[in-house]
Amino acid sequence: MKVLLEENSYGKQVFSMAGTITEKILDRHIIEGEKKPGAEIALRIDNTLTQDATGTMAYLQFEAIGIDRVRTEFSVSFVDHNMLQTDFKNADDHRYLQSVAQRYGIYFSKPGNGICHQVFLERFAKPGNTLIGSDSHTPTAGGIGCFAMGAGGLDVACAMAGAPFRIKYPKIVGIHLTGKLQPWVSAKDVILEILRRLDVKGGVGKVLEYFGEGVKTLSVTDRATIANMGTETGATTSIFPSDEITREFLRSQGREDQWIELLPDENAEYDEIIEIDLSAIEPMVALPHSPGNVVKVREAGKIKVDQVAIGSCTNSSLRDLKVVANVLKDRTVCSDLHVTISPGSRQVVEHLIESGEYRYLVRAGVRILENACGPCIGMGAAPNSGGVSVRTFNRNFKGRTGTADAQVYLVSPETAVATAITGYLTDPRELGEFPKFTMPEKFFINDNMILKPLPEEEARKVQIVRGPNIAPLPTFDPISDTLTGKVLIKVEDNITTDHIMPAGAKVLPLRSNIPEISKFVFESLDGNFYHKAKENNGGFIVAGENYGQGSSREHAALAPKYLGIKAVIAKSFARIHQANLINFGIVPLTFANPEDYDGIDEMDELEIYIGDLQGECTLYNRTKEKKIKLTHSLSRLDAEILKTGGKLPWIKKTAEKGNAK
Ligand code: MIC
Ligand code: SF4
C-alpha cells in the first residue's frame, strides 16, 4: 500500500510503499524523478567530501562555477592520498586545498589527520543524510546509516554549489544477516563473501541494504568495512540501519545529538534478498587481480608471501589495529617478509599509544607508516619484483601497487596478521585462541588538525594560493552530429580507471595538471597510446563489459578527452565513470548487440552518427565497410550536456541563458 508521508521541502509528495532505509532517505531528498528502478532522479545533497587527489580538480571546477560559499549543510576537504611531497607539487596542491577550503566555507582535514573515510566516519558522518564524495569509497559512511555515494569531482563541485545529484533510481537489495561471526572471522570476510557471490558488477544499479538480527552483532566500524568494499560490487552504495549501536558509536565520539533512529519497516519490500549466515562465514581471500576473485583462505593453497600491508579505508579502524597488535604481542613477524601498517586516523593512533598496544606493533617488527592511503594507492611500499603482497585493502588490480608483476591478495586484518607471523597465507584460526582486548567507551576527541570554515566576511578575504603545478582547466567545444576517427585501443571486460589513468607515486602528483597527466593514459596497456592519440588527432576507445570500474577519478575521462577521445563504445559502463565521461563530453555508447564488439579492431576507421543523442546511433566501420547499431542510456539532460561539450560549458551556457531572460 502506498502511504503519503509528507511533502518534502521541494513540494514533492513523499510516499512510502513499505520503508526500506534507502526509500526513507531518498524520499526526503528527492527533488525530481520517479521512484522506479532505472529512472533518473535528482537528489538534494547534504554533505560532500573530497580528497586531495581528486580535490584539486573539484575545487578548480567549483571556482569556475563562481559561487561565493558552499551551499551544503557542510563540506569537508581531506588530504590523505598524495602525501609524499617529493617535490613542490604535492605541497603546492595541499596549500591550494587549504586556502580554497578557507575561502569557501569548507572544513579542512590537514595531511596527517587520517584517511578521509575513516575520519569522516569518526567526526562527521550523520545517519539519514545524503553525502557525495570524489572518491569511490565514500559509501563507507553507509556504516552509520548515511546515504553516501562516490562521484566525479565535477559532480561534487556542483553539489557544493547547491545543485542536485542525479542517479538512476536503484534496485534495493536486502542483505539479510543472521547468526554471529566466529572468532578470527570479521567484517572483511563478510564483504569478501558477498563479492564472491556478486563479483565486480553484480551490484551495478543497486543499493545493498543490510537488515536482520545479524546486524546487531556488528559494530559501526565493522559495518563501515562492509559498506566500504560494497563499492567493489559496482553498487551505487551500501547502507546499514542506524540503531542503538550507532547511537553508542556517536556517543563515544561525543556526537550523540546527531543520532536518529533509522530502521527498515517490518514489512519493508526489497527488490531482491541475499541471505548471509554470519556464523557460517570463514576467512576469505580475493586472489590476484580482482576483488571479485574470492575463495576461502584454507582453499587457496600454500602461498609464500613477501609483504603484508595492513590499513586503508577498509581496515584501519581502532578495532582492526587492536586485533593486529594483540596478536603480535610477544611475537616477531616472520623474518622473510615485510609488514606495514597505515592507521586510519590520529584518533586510532592516539588510542594505540595510550593503551600500550602501539608498542606491540613496534616490537614485533612492523613498519608503521603515516595515517594515510599510502601503499593502497601505490604511494610507497611497492612490493619487490614478482612479489606476493597480502593486504587488508579493497583493490588488487594489476599494477596498482606500483610493481607491475606483483601478486596482491586481499584479506581481513586477522588473516593478514596470521600471515605476517607464518610467512605464508594463513587461515588465522590456526593461531589458537582469539586475543582479548577492550575498546574505549569514549574516544579521544582532538580536532586540532581540522580547520573549521571561517565566517563569511573573513572567508572573502582569503587569498587562494596556486603553485605552478596547478594548471588551468582545459576547455572543450560542443560536439558535432557525426564523429569520425580511428579506434585507438580495444580493451576487454572490467577495465578499471587504474588502467585508464594510473595513480602511484609517479603520476599522482600530476592530478592538477591535465596536459602532463594525459601522457600516462593507458600506460600499462599500451605504452604508445599518448603518441597514437596525438598523431591521429584523437579517436575512439572500444571496450567490453563494466568499462571504468573502480576509482572515481575523473582524470580517467578528462585526460582522454584532452587527447581527443570522442566516444567510448563498450558493452557496458560502471556508474561513476559513465557520469564522468558525460561531464567531460566523451559520448558513452553501448553495442545494441554485444557480439558486434568482435566486428571492430584496433585502428579501424569509424564514422558514428549521434545526432541529438535521442535514441539509437549508427556506427559505420569504414575499414570493414560494415554498419553496427549502437545505443545508450543517456537522459535528455545528459544528451544536452554532452552536445554542449561537457558539464562546465553547459553550466555556463545555462547561466547565460538565465541572465539573458
Ligand atoms: C582509489 O582507491 O582508487 C582512490 C585513489 O581512492 C580513488 C580516487 C582517486 O583516484 O583519487 C577512488 O577510489 O575513487
Ligand atoms: Fe585511499 Fe585506498 Fe581508500 Fe582509495 S581505497 S581512499 S586509496 S585507502
Side-chain angles (χ1 to χ4, degrees):
M1 197 187 56
K2 220 172 172 182
V3 185
L4 178 61
L5 295 176
E6 59 188 38
E7 286 208 342
N8 74 14
S9 45
Y10 295 89
K12 210 169 156 57
Q13 294 197 326
V14 173
F15 291 98
S16 187
M17 295 283 282
T20 57
I21 301 167
T22 303
E23 284 170 287
K24 289 182 183 190
I25 301 181
L26 292 186
D27 273 356
R28 282 168 178 73
H29 290 85
I30 202 159
I31 298 173
E32 251 175 62
E34 290 305 310
K35 280 180 62 177
K36 206 172 72 197
E40 185 168 282
I41 54 165
L43 290 176
R44 176 170 55 85
I45 296 300
D46 298 318
N47 311 127
T48 63
L49 74 78
T50 55
Q51 40 87 344
D52 52 312
T54 51
T56 45
M57 206 40 74
Y59 293 110
L60 284 170
Q61 291 164 152
F62 179 77
E63 286 189 272
I65 297 173
I67 304 277
D68 191 46
R69 194 174 172 87
V70 284
R71 294 186 176 158
T72 47
E73 178 200 9
F74 64 82
S75 289
V76 194
S77 169
F78 293 90
V79 179
D80 55 356
H81 281 62
N82 249 324
M83 301 278 284
L84 289 184
Q85 299 183 326
T86 45
D87 62 17
F88 64 92
K89 295 192 201 72
N90 293 168
D92 280 3
D93 284 0
H94 299 167
R95 288 279 154 194
Y96 167 72
L97 289 168
Q98 180 165 337
S99 61
V100 109
Q102 301 266 275
R103 168 64 189 84
Y104 292 109
I106 298 160
Y107 285 91
F108 181 70
S109 172
K110 289 169 71 178
N113 196 41
I115 303 176
C116 55
H117 306 304
Q118 176 67 23
V119 176
F120 196 86
L121 189 76
E122 291 168 358
R123 307 302 309 135
F124 292 99
K126 285 165 83 173
N129 270 19
T130 50
L131 161 74
I132 63 169
S134 59
D135 190 283
S136 63
H137 291 104
T138 303
T140 312
I144 214 169
C146 173
F147 197 86
M149 293 163 286
L154 180 50
D155 284 325
V156 175
C158 291
M160 287 191 286
F165 179 59
R166 291 173 191 276
I167 53 165
K168 299 242 156 53
Y169 196 89
K171 279 196 170 159
I172 304 167
V173 180
I175 304 201
H176 184 213
L177 301 181
T178 52
K180 189 173 182 312
L181 292 170
Q182 301 290 319
W184 296 108
V185 181
S186 66
K188 179 64 158 286
D189 300 305
V190 178
I191 188 61
L192 285 172
E193 167 61 17
I194 292 169
L195 271 153
R196 188 184 68 78
R197 300 197 201 177
L198 297 183
D199 207 346
V200 292
K201 65 184 181 66
V204 173
K206 300 174 181 174
V207 168
L208 308 182
E209 179 172 320
Y210 292 83
F211 72 104
E213 283 301 300
V215 168
K216 294 187 192 144
T217 68
L218 300 172
S219 69
V220 166
T221 53
D222 293 339
R223 297 173 187 184
T225 294
I226 296 173
N228 170 285
M229 214 178 160
T231 295
E232 271 54 63
T233 68
T236 305
T237 190
S238 301
I239 192 157
F240 277 84
S242 170
D243 56 10
E244 282 303 320
I245 289 168
T246 320
R247 180 185 211 155
E248 199 38 60
F249 177 78
L250 282 167
R251 184 182 300 141
S252 70
Q253 292 284 351
R255 305 201 282 129
E256 192 185 356
D257 56 329
Q258 296 175 2
W259 180 76
I260 57 161
E261 185 170 71
L262 199 56
L263 304 174
D265 293 337
E266 285 274 312
N267 55 348
E269 286 169 22
Y270 299 93
D271 292 303
E272 245 173 79
I273 292 201
I274 295 178
E275 294 287 344
I276 301 271
D277 175 4
L278 296 174
S279 338
I281 292 187
E282 295 192 34
M284 309 295 282
V285 53
L287 308 175
H289 297 285
S290 169
N293 202 2
V294 177
V295 298
K296 290 179 180 153
V297 172
R298 68 181 165 87
E299 287 167 359
K302 194 161 187 205
I303 298 162
K304 174 127 176 50
V305 176
D306 301 294
Q307 181 195 55
V308 171
I310 296 169
S312 91
C313 55
T314 319
N315 283 122
S316 58
S317 67
L318 183 61
R319 180 264 168 210
D320 287 348
L321 299 195
K322 270 180 176 274
V323 171
V324 174
N326 285 287
V327 174
L328 287 179
K329 188 178 176 199
D330 302 326
R331 285 180 158 125
T332 296
V333 301
C334 171
S335 57
D336 271 359
L337 52 68
H338 296 231
V339 183
T340 66
I341 291 189
S342 332
S345 68
R346 277 193 318 151
Q347 189 183 69
V348 168
V349 174
E350 215 183 321
H351 276 281
L352 291 173
I353 292 172
E354 169 77 14
S355 63
E357 286 155 319
Y358 197 89
R359 187 152 178 250
Y360 306 160
L361 299 171
V362 174
R363 283 181 67 93
V366 167
R367 280 175 65 190
I368 305 185
L369 309 181
E370 63 181 325
N371 319 324
C373 301
C376 177
I377 192 58
M379 297 303 271
N384 52 304
S385 294
V388 171
S389 179
V390 166
R391 300 181 159 210
T392 65
F393 306 168
N394 48 38
R395 290 185 174 143
N396 56 349
F397 306 146
K398 203 164 192 297
R400 183 175 157 99
T401 58
T403 302
D405 57 0
Q407 308 279 319
V408 178
Y409 295 75
L410 305 175
V411 299
S412 69
E414 288 80 352
T415 302
V417 69
T419 302
I421 292 166
T422 63
Y424 288 86
L425 180 69
T426 301
D427 185 326
R429 293 173 297 185
E430 288 173 21
L431 293 185
E433 211 183 316
F434 189 70
K436 288 197 177 50
F437 59 89
T438 52
M439 288 292 289
E441 267 179 29
K442 267 195 100 49
F443 284 90
F444 299 131
I445 293 159
N446 173 3
D447 290 334
N448 64 357
M449 282 181 89
I450 299 176
L451 308 187
K452 290 204 177 69
L454 293 175
E456 277 184 48
E457 279 310 302
E458 238 177 280
R460 284 200 189 101
K461 293 187 201 134
V462 172
Q463 287 294 321
I464 295 175
V465 187
R466 277 170 238 273
N469 190 42
I470 306 204
L473 281 177
T475 52
F476 303 117
D477 297 328
I479 297 181
S480 50
D481 288 356
T482 304
L483 311 176
T484 54
K486 286 189 181 152
V487 176
L488 298 180
I489 191 166
K490 182 176 175 183
V491 292
E492 324 246 284
D493 292 349
N494 297 321
I495 288 299
T496 71
T497 42
D498 278 75
H499 289 109
I500 308 169
M501 187 74 263
K506 191 170 66 173
V507 186
L508 217 48
L510 303 172
R511 284 287 181 93
S512 327
N513 191 333
I514 299 303
E516 277 307 308
I517 207 169
S518 68
K519 295 180 181 158
F520 297 90
V521 172
F522 283 121
E523 198 197 26
S524 66
L525 298 178
D526 176 0
N528 202 28
F529 183 85
Y530 172 76
H531 297 289
K532 258 206 274 180
K534 283 276 176 203
E535 279 154 24
N536 290 288
N537 254 328
F540 300 105
I541 296 167
V542 171
E545 300 277 5
N546 201 24
Y547 179 72
Q549 68 154 327
S551 152
S552 66
R553 62 191 71 149
E554 60 193 356
H555 303 72
L558 192 42
K561 174 72 181 182
Y562 180 78
L563 296 179
I565 297 299
K566 296 164 190 169
V568 181
I569 309 132
K571 290 186 189 168
S572 67
F573 291 90
R575 173 185 68 87
I576 305 177
H577 188 58
Q578 160 143 335
N580 286 336
L581 290 173
I582 297 167
N583 284 350
F584 294 104
I586 297 183
V587 190
L589 296 166
T590 42
F591 292 100
N593 304 307
E595 56 278 16
D596 284 337
Y597 169 86
D598 300 324
I600 308 183
D601 288 312
E602 226 160 85
M603 294 322 271
D604 280 0
E605 182 127 8
L606 310 182
E607 182 181 316
I608 306 176
Y609 178 75
I610 56 164
D612 59 2
L613 279 167
Q614 303 301 319
E616 281 183 1
C617 306
T618 355
L619 178 155
Y620 180 62
N621 187 334
R622 287 184 188 156
T623 312
K624 303 221 161 43
E625 297 182 1
K626 213 173 116 193
K627 273 191 180 163
I628 287 177
K629 253 206 240 160
L630 299 178
T631 174
H632 59 72
S633 58
L634 302 169
S635 66
R636 262 178 195 283
L637 184 62
D638 294 337
E640 207 185 294
I641 291 174
L642 271 168
K643 291 289 293 183
T644 322
K647 204 162 188 173
L648 275 180
W650 177 81
I651 294 173
K652 215 165 146 236
K653 195 171 143 198
T654 321
E656 276 162 12
K657 265 201 223 153
N659 291 341
K661 269 183 208 157

